């Protein structure tokens, strides 16, 4: 973005690239999604301690960003049972849907993309913070419209969706 080749970006977590402004636009709740197996002691709707991920075969995506930091900060160590590490998040979704294991994913994504896949919320809640990153100075009309759409979509959101 600092090179001027990109005007607007979205990121999990604050970014401080030279020549940009970062604005927090919301939080995404992270859940454990998948089919944990017959011996899983947590019923549907029950909140999990984060350490419960050690009891399931975990499918991870590219562990080089916000999700990796979230896991490391929450566990203070790598997860115990990484069964599959995928190069793309789409592959993670497909493996979870096929019942290969479980993954840490945004709740909204599980609800919209993984219909019928069970998921559990964590106690305490686990969230990723989203930021809108905009290049300093003037931006194109298309980028300006995109920024307005994102800001309007997130205006007045004081809590995470799906708390029901």
């Amino acid at each position: 973005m600092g090179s001027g080749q990109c005007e607007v970006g979205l990121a999990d977590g604050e970014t401080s690239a030279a020549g940009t402004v970062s604005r927090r636009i919301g939080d995404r709740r992270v859940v454990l999604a998948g089919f944990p197996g017959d011996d899983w002691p947590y019923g549907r709707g029950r909140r999990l301690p984060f350490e419960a991920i050690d009891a399931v075969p975990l499918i991870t995506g590219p562990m080089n960003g916000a999700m990796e930091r979230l896991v490391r900060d929450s566990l203070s160590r790598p997860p115990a049972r990484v069964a599959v590490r995928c190069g793309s998040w789409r592959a993670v979704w497909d493996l979870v849907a096929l019942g290969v294991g479980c993954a840490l994913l945004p709740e909204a994504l599980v609800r919209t993309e993984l219909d019928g896949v069970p998921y559990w919320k964590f106690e305490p809640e686990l969230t990723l913070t989203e930021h809108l990153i905009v290049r300093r100075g003037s931006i194109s009309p298309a980028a300006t419209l995109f920024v307005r759409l994102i800001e309007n979509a997130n205006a007045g959101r004081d809590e995470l969706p799906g708390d029901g």
Side-chain angles (χ1 to χ4, degrees), residues 36-56:
D38 295 334
D39 58 345
W40 183 243
Y42 301 97
R44 285 194 185 196
R46 190 166 162 201
R47 293 192 177 250
L48 302 178
F50 192 69
E51 295 77 20
I53 69 169
D54 285 338
V56 298

Side-chain angles (χ1 to χ4, degrees), residues 49-130:
F50 192 69
E51 295 77 20
I53 69 169
D54 285 338
V56 298
L58 198 61
I59 302 168
T60 68
M63 295 293 281
N64 57 358
M67 188 65 78
E68 181 180 24
R69 285 189 303 276
L70 187 65
V71 170
R72 200 174 37 235
D73 292 349
S74 298
L75 275 179
S76 300
R77 60 175 168 73
R81 292 182 62 195
V82 175
V84 180
R85 179 164 288 172
C86 298
S88 78
W89 284 104
R90 183 63 212 195
V92 172
W93 309 350
D94 291 344
L95 291 172
V96 167
L98 289 169
V100 173
C102 297
L104 298 171
L105 297 169
E107 180 182 15
L109 180 140
V110 175
R111 287 179 167 193
T112 60
E113 300 295 325
L114 298 175
D115 188 38
V117 172
Y119 66 90
W120 290 262
K121 297 175 185 175
F122 291 101
E123 185 63 46
E125 194 168 79
L126 203 57
T127 59
L128 285 173
T129 301
E130 293 180 316

